[in-house]
């Protein structure tokens, strides 16, 4: 058995400047269901949290006026996460008290998605391929093969 030792990307994580690392970390844990992986400083200056292998890095900004989420610059999201079940995840986040930028919508590009806003205004998009791929290996009726 051979082991693939070629260079590979193993993981990625957006890097968000925030006003209060502890408060933002709590938001990601309580509302978005992330778990804390790492925290540095007291009070914290930096933290990493993740859910299902998808991470977010948080760094305290000493100048809150310099925190500029993508939306304020004409963008849509600061991070986008591909998910297995957008509808169930949106319901979970709603029950946890998330602030939605927009609710579930099927986009013309074939993604069922929604977006949340965190404490510092960063917008997190979540979406899945739509129509969803069948789980039994069959092709969707719209896929001729």
């Amino acid at each position: 058995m051979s082991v693939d030792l070629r260079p590979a990307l193993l993981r990625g994580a957006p890097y968000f400047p925030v006003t209060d690392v502890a408060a933002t970390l709590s938001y990601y844990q309580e509302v978005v269901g992330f778990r804390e992986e790492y925290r540095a400083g007291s009070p914290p200056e930096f933290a990493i949290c993740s859910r299902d292998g998808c991470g977010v890095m948080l760094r305290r900004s000493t100048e809150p006026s310099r925190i500029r989420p993508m939306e304020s610059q004409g963008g849509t999201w600061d991070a986008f996460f591909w998910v297995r079940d957008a509808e169930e995840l949106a319901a979970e986040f709603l029950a946890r008290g998330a602030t939605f930028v927009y609710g579930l919508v099927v986009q013309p590009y074939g993604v069922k998605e929604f977006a949340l806003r965190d404490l510092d205004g960063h917008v997190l998009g979540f979406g899945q391929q739509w129509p969803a791929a069948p789980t039994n290996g069959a092709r969707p009726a719209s896929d001729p093969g």
Side-chain angles (χ1 to χ4, degrees):
M1 178 176 185
S2 66
V3 175
D4 186 358
L5 298 177
R6 293 177 297 172
L9 299 178
L10 301 177
R11 189 172 170 200
Y15 179 89
F16 294 158
V18 300
T19 54
D20 183 330
V21 172
T24 304
L25 182 58
S26 289
Y27 171 87
Y28 277 85
Q29 290 174 303
E30 295 166 16
V31 177
V32 192
F34 279 50
R35 65 177 175 75
E36 180 180 327
E37 288 187 13
Y38 177 79
R39 179 191 302 221
S42 182
E45 294 287 322
F46 180 79
I48 300 172
C49 57
S50 67
R51 177 174 176 160
D52 303 321
C54 296
V56 171
M57 294 186 283
L58 309 170
R59 172 73 173 168
R60 187 177 74 82
S61 174
T62 56
E63 296 181 49
S65 63
R66 297 189 67 168
I67 297 173
R68 301 237 1 227
M70 289 300 297
E71 187 180 38
S72 69
Q73 302 173 56
T76 304
W77 318 286
D78 294 282
F80 190 89
F81 300 94
W82 293 98
V83 303
R84 185 173 296 123
D85 189 330
E87 198 166 316
E88 286 292 320
L89 198 58
E92 174 190 325
F93 293 160
L94 181 63
R96 291 172 174 252
T99 300
F100 282 75
V101 175
Y102 60 90
L104 280 165
V105 61
V106 176
Q107 299 289 8
Y109 43 81
V111 176
K112 186 176 194 176
E113 66 184 46
F114 65 94
L116 308 179
R117 185 180 321 280
D118 78 6
L119 299 179
D120 287 282
H122 299 106
V123 176
L124 308 175
F126 300 86
Q128 72 181 96
Q129 174 188 342
W130 197 259
T135 57
N136 63 2
R139 290 195 164 115
S142 62
D143 181 0

